[in-house]
Amino acid sequence: MMFSKENQKGDKIQKFADYIEKSRAGVAITGAGISVGGGGMTYRQMSLSNRRAGVSPRYGDSYKSFLPTYLDNMFSYQPSLAHYALADLEAEGKLIGIITTNVDCMHTIAGSENVAEIQGSLQVNCCAKCGRHYDGYEIWRQDELPRCEACGGEILPWPLYSHIGLWEEDVRKAQSLISRADLIIVIGTNGFYGSAYWHCRKDDAVIVQINPGHTGFDSVADLNIREESDDVFKKLQEVRRENGGK
């Protein structure tokens, strides 16, 4: 019997649903692609936009480069359906956490509680002058750029004052999460910085990749779904309801 392409896609969503039902410790790994459905840009799109504007994130010219690169893009969009779906899976007990290279805090805004932001985020902020920390993304949601209450210095987010480095505290969290995972859901990422935690995964963990394009995960994934993440999770919710789940 021959299956149409539409049915083949449906079969993949059903298989994904089956993996979730069997999982007791799922972990999602996300990149910029998960934010597209909410209006965000992928890193490639952001990089192209920055090159056209002649800017790049660097410490020496902090706000001038930071604003168009990150802040003007962030908060101009909202969490995507996929962000909310992952938060729901965590609340349901199917997901033990999320590993992300994104700095936009959208997982937290969507309601996820156990997020390893391995490149830091706009939740990790520090005064460039005195070193005082101002953690939490809310300080960026105001009309004026934040200044240190103690000394008046510029408050910089981790991606800026670290020169786009890794946030070691959350790298350790990511290693702990993936070491316990029986299901790994890779969404909208090429796997940059995966070497910091990927080696800690279980050999028998099931790997599902959701990405409309090809990546380095293609050859290791047990299931590749070539669609945008919002479309996949919308279909997943429908299939799970049909199956009597949530």
Side-chain angles (χ1 to χ4, degrees):
M1 179 177 179
M2 297 296 290
F3 291 97
S4 67
K5 289 185 177 181
E6 182 176 354
N7 285 335
Q8 289 173 6
K9 288 181 179 179
D11 291 341
K12 287 189 174 184
I13 301 299
Q14 180 61 65
K15 193 170 185 179
F16 184 26
D18 292 341
Y19 283 144
I20 289 175
E21 295 310 315
K22 294 175 183 177
S23 174
R24 295 296 177 267
V27 168
I29 300 173
T30 70
I34 195 174
S35 295
V36 171
M41 293 190 291
T42 64
Y43 283 131
R44 181 177 181 276
Q45 291 169 331
M46 191 181 295
S47 178
L48 287 171
S49 175
N50 291 339
R51 284 205 296 271
R52 291 188 187 113
V55 298
S56 61
R58 57 189 182 277
Y59 181 86
D61 195 12
S62 57
Y63 284 156
K64 182 179 178 182
S65 59
F66 170 61
L67 279 172
T69 306
Y70 289 111
L71 200 57
D72 285 352
N73 181 48
M74 186 191 172
F75 299 143
S76 65
Y77 60 94
Q78 297 295 321
S80 65
L81 185 153
H83 283 109
Y84 288 114
L86 292 180
D88 289 343
L89 287 174
E90 183 182 11
E92 188 183 337
K94 293 296 183 181
L95 210 66
I96 61 173
I98 297 168
I99 301 169
T100 187
T101 52
N102 296 341
V103 303
D104 59 12
C105 311
M106 290 298 158
H107 285 298
T108 299
I109 294 170
S112 293
E113 296 184 0
N114 196 17
V115 184
E117 297 171 317
I118 64 170
Q119 283 192 272
S121 73
L122 297 179
Q123 300 190 85
V124 184
N125 308 294
C126 179
C127 174
K129 188 174 180 180
C130 71
R132 182 174 178 176
H133 268 262
Y134 291 86
D135 292 343
Y137 63 84
E138 294 86 357
I139 69 168
W140 300 107
R141 288 192 154 178
Q142 52 185 303
D143 294 334
E144 297 181 357
L145 289 166
R147 291 276 178 173
C148 179
E149 296 175 357
C151 71
E154 293 180 343
I155 296 176
L156 305 180
W158 169 263
L160 192 58
Y161 72 75
S162 71
H163 304 279
I164 321 295
L166 290 177
W167 181 240
E168 290 300 331
E169 179 179 332
D170 275 25
V171 168
R172 290 191 293 271
K173 182 192 290 188
Q175 292 171 343
S176 175
L177 285 171
I178 204 166
S179 70
R180 293 180 281 143
D182 58 10
L183 172 63
I184 301 171
I185 308 169
V186 183
I187 307 169
T189 179
N190 290 321
F192 291 132
Y193 298 111
S195 59
Y197 59 81
W198 189 249
H199 62 285
C200 297
R201 76 188 188 282
K202 295 178 179 179
D203 290 337
D204 60 351
V206 173
I207 302 170
V208 175
Q209 177 181 218
I210 301 169
N211 200 316
H214 292 277
T215 76
F217 288 104
D218 291 2
S219 61
V220 298
D222 298 280
L223 177 64
N224 282 300
I225 304 178
R226 303 287 183 208
E227 299 183 64
E228 296 289 354
S229 56
D230 276 14
D231 295 334
V232 171
F233 280 98
K234 183 178 180 180
K235 294 173 184 177
L236 177 69
Q237 290 169 346
E238 294 170 355
V239 168
R240 295 189 74 202
R241 280 196 296 268
E242 290 172 0
N243 292 345
K246 295 187 177 182

